[in-house]
Amino acid sequence: MTQHHFTVDVEEYFHASAFERVVDRADWEGIERRSGDPVRRLLDLLARHEATGTFFVLGWLAQRDPELVKAIAAAGHEIASHGWDHRRVTQQAPHEFRESVRDSKKLLEDTTGQVVRGFRAPSYSIVPGLEWALDVLLEEGYTYDSSLFPIWRPDGYGYASAQPDPHWLDRPNGRLAEVPPTTWRRSGLSLPAAGGAYFRLFPYAFVRSAFTACDRRGVPGTFYIHPWEIDPGQPRMPVGWATRVRHYGGMTRTFPRLERLLSEFRFTTIAQTVDRL
């Protein structure tokens, strides 16, 4: 059976890009952090199913809760970078992006003793025209990226021409492995089926079908979840109805669906796949 990738974007609920207009970064320090309990629930879940995963951790959070990062690593999971402060690549100049990926990598490595090999951009925000970010990752010592979502969306992420399965990108200064989130593909149509709101709001059968298709092709799919997606008690932000549905919808279904997903498919770290790519 194919081994897929179970990935977690380790961030707080107030880091979500959808809340950028209502939560100022300057106020983060005074907001209660809630990621610890959900992350530990995910660690227990993975242990029950004898699965390992890749945890993309924000540098900002790792700096404030190093024991949580150590607990993830001690449980046998891969630690990777989610950047420093959840600023989308579309909002950064190249020198700012370099600082973010360099500082987060160093902090995570110093905290865990693991070499950090992978990166995932907040909100999958490496989009066409920002390929320079891939070159920066290579220059800063990363060996793989998981940011190119092979879908089209009008609201800030998606790289429609990206390949749907793990592959190598040949860049001017080297090769970088790309491990994209899973999509459901039929007759030229490509829909997101990798996790997140799609996992909570769409029928479970939709995501299951996408990973079953990966099994048939013999290639690993990549699933993702955030700790706040299994935290229905989180404070509600003053946002519009569409954002409320996308962020809060289906949270009570998330954990039972994760149990089912882990019972039906096998999961490992992205690093293990890259070593075989």
Short mmCIF file of all heavy atoms in Angstrom, two decimals, residues 226-258:
data_model
loop_
_atom_site.label_atom_id
_atom_site.label_comp_id
_atom_site.label_asym_id
_atom_site.label_seq_id
_atom_site.Cartn_x
_atom_site.Cartn_y
_atom_site.Cartn_z
N HIS A 226 -4.68 21.85 10.25
CA HIS A 226 -4.16 22.82 11.21
C HIS A 226 -4.65 22.44 12.61
O HIS A 226 -5.77 21.93 12.74
CB HIS A 226 -4.65 24.23 10.90
CG HIS A 226 -4.35 24.71 9.52
ND1 HIS A 226 -5.16 24.42 8.44
CD2 HIS A 226 -3.32 25.46 9.05
CE1 HIS A 226 -4.65 24.97 7.36
NE2 HIS A 226 -3.53 25.60 7.70
N PRO A 227 -3.89 22.70 13.65
CA PRO A 227 -4.37 22.38 15.00
C PRO A 227 -5.71 23.04 15.32
O PRO A 227 -6.56 22.44 15.99
CB PRO A 227 -3.25 22.92 15.91
CG PRO A 227 -2.03 22.88 15.06
CD PRO A 227 -2.50 23.20 13.67
N TRP A 228 -5.94 24.27 14.86
CA TRP A 228 -7.18 24.96 15.19
C TRP A 228 -8.41 24.32 14.55
O TRP A 228 -9.54 24.60 14.96
CB TRP A 228 -7.10 26.45 14.84
CG TRP A 228 -6.63 26.81 13.47
CD1 TRP A 228 -5.38 27.22 13.11
CD2 TRP A 228 -7.40 26.82 12.26
NE1 TRP A 228 -5.32 27.47 11.75
CE2 TRP A 228 -6.55 27.25 11.22
CE3 TRP A 228 -8.74 26.52 11.96
CZ2 TRP A 228 -6.98 27.37 9.88
CZ3 TRP A 228 -9.18 26.64 10.64
CH2 TRP A 228 -8.31 27.06 9.63
N GLU A 229 -8.20 23.42 13.60
CA GLU A 229 -9.34 22.77 12.95
C GLU A 229 -9.95 21.66 13.81
O GLU A 229 -11.01 21.12 13.46
CB GLU A 229 -8.92 22.21 11.59
CG GLU A 229 -8.58 23.31 10.60
CD GLU A 229 -8.31 22.78 9.21
OE1 GLU A 229 -9.28 22.66 8.44
OE2 GLU A 229 -7.13 22.49 8.91
N ILE A 230 -9.29 21.32 14.92
CA ILE A 230 -9.90 20.37 15.86
C ILE A 230 -10.14 21.07 17.21
O ILE A 230 -10.16 20.43 18.24
CB ILE A 230 -9.05 19.10 16.04
CG1 ILE A 230 -7.63 19.43 16.53
CG2 ILE A 230 -8.99 18.31 14.74
CD1 ILE A 230 -6.84 18.19 16.94
N ASP A 231 -10.34 22.38 17.14
CA ASP A 231 -10.56 23.19 18.35
C ASP A 231 -11.84 24.01 18.19
O ASP A 231 -11.79 25.23 17.98
CB ASP A 231 -9.35 24.11 18.58
CG ASP A 231 -9.50 24.98 19.82
OD1 ASP A 231 -10.34 24.64 20.69
OD2 ASP A 231 -8.77 25.99 19.93
N PRO A 232 -13.02 23.38 18.30
CA PRO A 232 -14.27 24.11 18.11
C PRO A 232 -14.50 25.22 19.14
O PRO A 232 -15.30 26.13 18.90
CB PRO A 232 -15.35 23.02 18.26
CG PRO A 232 -14.64 21.73 18.04
CD PRO A 232 -13.25 21.95 18.55
N GLY A 233 -13.79 25.17 20.27
CA GLY A 233 -13.99 26.16 21.32
C GLY A 233 -13.20 27.44 21.15
O GLY A 233 -13.27 28.32 22.02
N GLN A 234 -12.48 27.58 20.07
CA GLN A 234 -11.66 28.78 19.87
C GLN A 234 -12.55 30.03 19.78
O GLN A 234 -13.70 29.96 19.35
CB GLN A 234 -10.84 28.65 18.60
CG GLN A 234 -11.66 28.64 17.32
CD GLN A 234 -10.84 28.29 16.10
OE1 GLN A 234 -10.39 29.17 15.39
NE2 GLN A 234 -10.65 26.99 15.86
N PRO A 235 -12.04 31.18 20.18
CA PRO A 235 -12.82 32.42 20.08
C PRO A 235 -13.22 32.73 18.64
O PRO A 235 -12.49 32.41 17.70
CB PRO A 235 -11.86 33.48 20.62
CG PRO A 235 -10.90 32.72 21.49
CD PRO A 235 -10.75 31.39 20.84
N ARG A 236 -14.38 33.32 18.47
CA ARG A 236 -14.88 33.70 17.15
C ARG A 236 -14.42 35.11 16.80
O ARG A 236 -14.52 36.02 17.61
CB ARG A 236 -16.40 33.64 17.11
CG ARG A 236 -17.03 32.35 16.59
CD ARG A 236 -16.34 31.10 16.97
NE ARG A 236 -17.03 29.91 16.43
CZ ARG A 236 -16.62 28.69 16.63
NH1 ARG A 236 -15.54 28.46 17.37
NH2 ARG A 236 -17.28 27.66 16.11
N MET A 237 -13.94 35.26 15.58
CA MET A 237 -13.47 36.55 15.09
C MET A 237 -14.60 37.27 14.35
O MET A 237 -15.47 36.63 13.73
CB MET A 237 -12.27 36.36 14.16
CG MET A 237 -11.05 35.82 14.86
SD MET A 237 -10.38 37.03 16.02
CE MET A 237 -8.96 36.12 16.63
N PRO A 238 -14.58 38.62 14.35
CA PRO A 238 -15.62 39.40 13.67
C PRO A 238 -15.35 39.49 12.17
O PRO A 238 -14.85 40.49 11.65
CB PRO A 238 -15.50 40.77 14.34
CG PRO A 238 -14.07 40.87 14.72
CD PRO A 238 -13.64 39.49 15.11
N VAL A 239 -15.70 38.42 11.46
CA VAL A 239 -15.46 38.34 10.02
C VAL A 239 -16.76 38.06 9.30
O VAL A 239 -17.77 37.72 9.91
CB VAL A 239 -14.42 37.24 9.71
CG1 VAL A 239 -13.05 37.64 10.22
CG2 VAL A 239 -14.84 35.90 10.30
N GLY A 240 -16.75 38.20 7.99
CA GLY A 240 -17.93 37.98 7.17
C GLY A 240 -18.36 36.53 7.13
O GLY A 240 -17.62 35.63 7.54
N TRP A 241 -19.56 36.31 6.61
CA TRP A 241 -20.15 34.96 6.66
C TRP A 241 -19.32 33.95 5.88
O TRP A 241 -19.19 32.80 6.30
CB TRP A 241 -21.59 34.98 6.15
CG TRP A 241 -21.72 35.21 4.67
CD1 TRP A 241 -21.87 36.40 4.02
CD2 TRP A 241 -21.69 34.20 3.65
NE1 TRP A 241 -21.94 36.21 2.66
CE2 TRP A 241 -21.84 34.87 2.40
CE3 TRP A 241 -21.57 32.81 3.67
CZ2 TRP A 241 -21.85 34.18 1.19
CZ3 TRP A 241 -21.58 32.12 2.45
CH2 TRP A 241 -21.73 32.81 1.23
N ALA A 242 -18.76 34.35 4.73
CA ALA A 242 -17.99 33.39 3.94
C ALA A 242 -16.75 32.93 4.70
O ALA A 242 -16.42 31.73 4.71
CB ALA A 242 -17.59 34.02 2.60
N THR A 243 -16.07 33.86 5.35
CA THR A 243 -14.89 33.50 6.14
C THR A 243 -15.30 32.66 7.35
O THR A 243 -14.59 31.71 7.72
CB THR A 243 -14.15 34.76 6.60
OG1 THR A 243 -13.70 35.48 5.45
CG2 THR A 243 -12.96 34.42 7.47
N ARG A 244 -16.43 32.99 7.98
CA ARG A 244 -16.90 32.18 9.12
C ARG A 244 -17.14 30.74 8.71
O ARG A 244 -16.73 29.81 9.40
CB ARG A 244 -18.20 32.78 9.69
CG ARG A 244 -18.00 34.05 10.48
CD ARG A 244 -19.19 34.34 11.40
NE ARG A 244 -20.45 34.38 10.67
CZ ARG A 244 -20.96 35.47 10.10
NH1 ARG A 244 -20.28 36.62 10.17
NH2 ARG A 244 -22.11 35.44 9.48
N VAL A 245 -17.79 30.56 7.58
CA VAL A 245 -18.06 29.19 7.11
C VAL A 245 -16.76 28.46 6.81
O VAL A 245 -16.55 27.31 7.21
CB VAL A 245 -18.97 29.21 5.87
CG1 VAL A 245 -19.06 27.82 5.23
CG2 VAL A 245 -20.37 29.70 6.23
N ARG A 246 -15.87 29.13 6.10
CA ARG A 246 -14.62 28.48 5.69
C ARG A 246 -13.73 28.14 6.88
O ARG A 246 -13.10 27.09 6.92
CB ARG A 246 -13.87 29.40 4.71
CG ARG A 246 -12.64 28.76 4.11
CD ARG A 246 -12.09 29.59 2.94
NE ARG A 246 -11.67 30.92 3.36
CZ ARG A 246 -12.27 32.05 3.00
NH1 ARG A 246 -13.36 32.01 2.23
NH2 ARG A 246 -11.81 33.22 3.41
N HIS A 247 -13.68 29.03 7.88
CA HIS A 247 -12.78 28.79 9.01
C HIS A 247 -13.41 27.91 10.08
O HIS A 247 -12.74 27.02 10.61
CB HIS A 247 -12.36 30.13 9.63
CG HIS A 247 -11.34 29.97 10.72
ND1 HIS A 247 -9.99 30.01 10.47
CD2 HIS A 247 -11.47 29.76 12.05
CE1 HIS A 247 -9.33 29.83 11.61
NE2 HIS A 247 -10.21 29.69 12.58
N TYR A 248 -14.68 28.14 10.42
CA TYR A 248 -15.28 27.44 11.56
C TYR A 248 -16.15 26.24 11.15
O TYR A 248 -16.46 25.40 12.00
CB TYR A 248 -16.15 28.41 12.37
CG TYR A 248 -15.40 29.60 12.91
CD1 TYR A 248 -15.65 30.89 12.46
CD2 TYR A 248 -14.41 29.44 13.88
CE1 TYR A 248 -14.97 31.99 12.95
CE2 TYR A 248 -13.71 30.53 14.39
CZ TYR A 248 -14.00 31.80 13.91
OH TYR A 248 -13.31 32.88 14.40
N GLY A 249 -16.54 26.18 9.90
CA GLY A 249 -17.48 25.14 9.49
C GLY A 249 -16.93 23.74 9.62
O GLY A 249 -15.78 23.46 9.28
N GLY A 250 -17.74 22.82 10.11
CA GLY A 250 -17.40 21.41 10.13
C GLY A 250 -16.38 20.99 11.16
O GLY A 250 -15.90 19.84 11.12
N MET A 251 -16.04 21.84 12.11
CA MET A 251 -14.98 21.49 13.06
C MET A 251 -15.31 20.26 13.91
O MET A 251 -14.43 19.49 14.26
CB MET A 251 -14.64 22.68 13.95
CG MET A 251 -13.77 23.71 13.30
SD MET A 251 -13.11 24.87 14.50
CE MET A 251 -12.22 25.98 13.41
N THR A 252 -16.57 20.09 14.24
CA THR A 252 -16.93 18.93 15.06
C THR A 252 -16.77 17.63 14.29
O THR A 252 -16.69 16.55 14.89
CB THR A 252 -18.36 19.05 15.59
OG1 THR A 252 -19.26 19.19 14.47
CG2 THR A 252 -18.51 20.26 16.50
N ARG A 253 -16.70 17.70 12.96
CA ARG A 253 -16.51 16.51 12.14
C ARG A 253 -15.05 16.16 11.92
O ARG A 253 -14.72 15.05 11.48
CB ARG A 253 -17.17 16.70 10.76
CG ARG A 253 -18.66 16.80 10.75
CD ARG A 253 -19.19 16.67 9.34
NE ARG A 253 -18.82 17.81 8.51
CZ ARG A 253 -19.59 18.86 8.29
NH1 ARG A 253 -20.78 18.93 8.88
NH2 ARG A 253 -19.19 19.84 7.51
N THR A 254 -14.15 17.10 12.20
CA THR A 254 -12.77 16.93 11.77
C THR A 254 -12.10 15.72 12.41
O THR A 254 -11.52 14.89 11.71
CB THR A 254 -11.94 18.19 12.10
OG1 THR A 254 -12.61 19.33 11.59
CG2 THR A 254 -10.57 18.09 11.47
N PHE A 255 -12.18 15.61 13.72
CA PHE A 255 -11.43 14.54 14.39
C PHE A 255 -11.95 13.15 14.01
O PHE A 255 -11.14 12.26 13.70
CB PHE A 255 -11.44 14.74 15.90
CG PHE A 255 -10.25 14.10 16.56
CD1 PHE A 255 -9.01 14.73 16.58
CD2 PHE A 255 -10.35 12.86 17.16
CE1 PHE A 255 -7.91 14.15 17.18
CE2 PHE A 255 -9.25 12.26 17.76
CZ PHE A 255 -8.02 12.91 17.77
N PRO A 256 -13.28 12.91 14.01
CA PRO A 256 -13.74 11.59 13.55
C PRO A 256 -13.30 11.26 12.12
O PRO A 256 -12.97 10.11 11.81
CB PRO A 256 -15.26 11.69 13.66
CG PRO A 256 -15.50 12.73 14.69
CD PRO A 256 -14.39 13.72 14.53
N ARG A 257 -13.27 12.27 11.27
CA ARG A 257 -12.81 12.03 9.90
C ARG A 257 -11.32 11.71 9.86
O ARG A 257 -10.88 10.89 9.04
CB ARG A 257 -13.12 13.24 9.02
CG ARG A 257 -14.60 13.38 8.69
CD ARG A 257 -14.86 14.52 7.72
NE ARG A 257 -16.26 14.54 7.31
CZ ARG A 257 -16.75 15.30 6.34
NH1 ARG A 257 -15.95 16.13 5.69
NH2 ARG A 257 -18.03 15.26 6.03
N LEU A 258 -10.54 12.36 10.72
CA LEU A 258 -9.12 12.03 10.79
C LEU A 258 -8.92 10.58 11.23
O LEU A 258 -8.04 9.88 10.69
CB LEU A 258 -8.41 12.98 11.76
CG LEU A 258 -8.25 14.43 11.31
CD1 LEU A 258 -7.67 15.27 12.45
CD2 LEU A 258 -7.37 14.54 10.07
#
